Amino acid sequence: MKGATLHDLPAVRCMMEPKQVTVRRWSELSSKPLSEESVRALHVPAKKYRVSVNRYWPGADIGGEMRAGTVYVLAGHCQMEFGTQVAQLAAGDVAEFPEGSFRVVAGREAECVVVFAWELPAEFVR
């Protein structure tokens, strides 16, 4: 998969707007180590996607609203809630999530580090 992009991976192609939360392992998507850089390499051209790293301290409980997209767990573990759907995630997990409300509850033992990626609306792409 050397040089693969999000568009080269048929199994990943519809990751940006799922209706249900789906979880798989990073190793199903890439043979490269999971990192911020390897995630960014999947989401090109860069101007078309928002990719951001979030760090949640042990026991953090954070919520909000977001666009549909994908979350990559780089380290630790957490529970993520997307509307009424709940997923237990650990390092190496990749979850596709729907647009709407979300909540992250980090494990109490260690920091949880995730990368969120979603496609920007057309009006933001130049």
Side-chain angles (χ1 to χ4, degrees):
M1 262 196 238
K2 186 176 181 181
T5 68
L6 183 66
H7 303 289
D8 298 326
L9 304 171
V12 180
R13 187 176 306 249
C14 60
M15 289 181 89
M16 300 314 294
E17 296 186 2
K19 294 180 181 173
Q20 296 289 322
V21 172
T22 57
V23 180
R24 65 175 100 181
R25 298 294 296 165
W26 171 255
S27 59
E28 296 174 44
L29 303 176
S30 177
S31 59
K32 295 181 180 181
L34 176 57
S35 67
E36 178 184 355
E37 293 77 22
S38 59
V39 169
R40 286 185 185 281
L42 288 177
H43 298 279
V44 291
K47 66 181 181 179
K48 188 176 177 183
Y49 298 93
R50 171 80 58 212
V51 178
S52 60
V53 176
N54 289 0
R55 296 178 175 276
Y56 301 104
W57 62 90
D61 187 336
I62 309 287
E65 298 283 325
M66 69 172 51
R67 302 184 73 73
T70 308
V71 62
Y72 303 83
V73 183
L74 301 184
H77 67 275
C78 60
Q79 174 176 296
M80 298 193 89
E81 301 170 10
F82 302 99
T84 60
Q85 302 177 67
V86 178
Q88 299 293 330
L89 303 174
D93 282 341
V94 177
E96 304 166 36
F97 56 86
E99 182 172 331
S101 63
F102 76 96
R103 181 176 173 219
V104 177
V105 180
R108 297 194 178 279
E109 302 78 34
E111 175 181 60
C112 183
V113 182
V114 301
V115 177
F116 286 105
W118 61 92
E119 193 169 349
L120 292 170
E123 60 268 20
F124 291 108
V125 179
R126 295 179 192 223

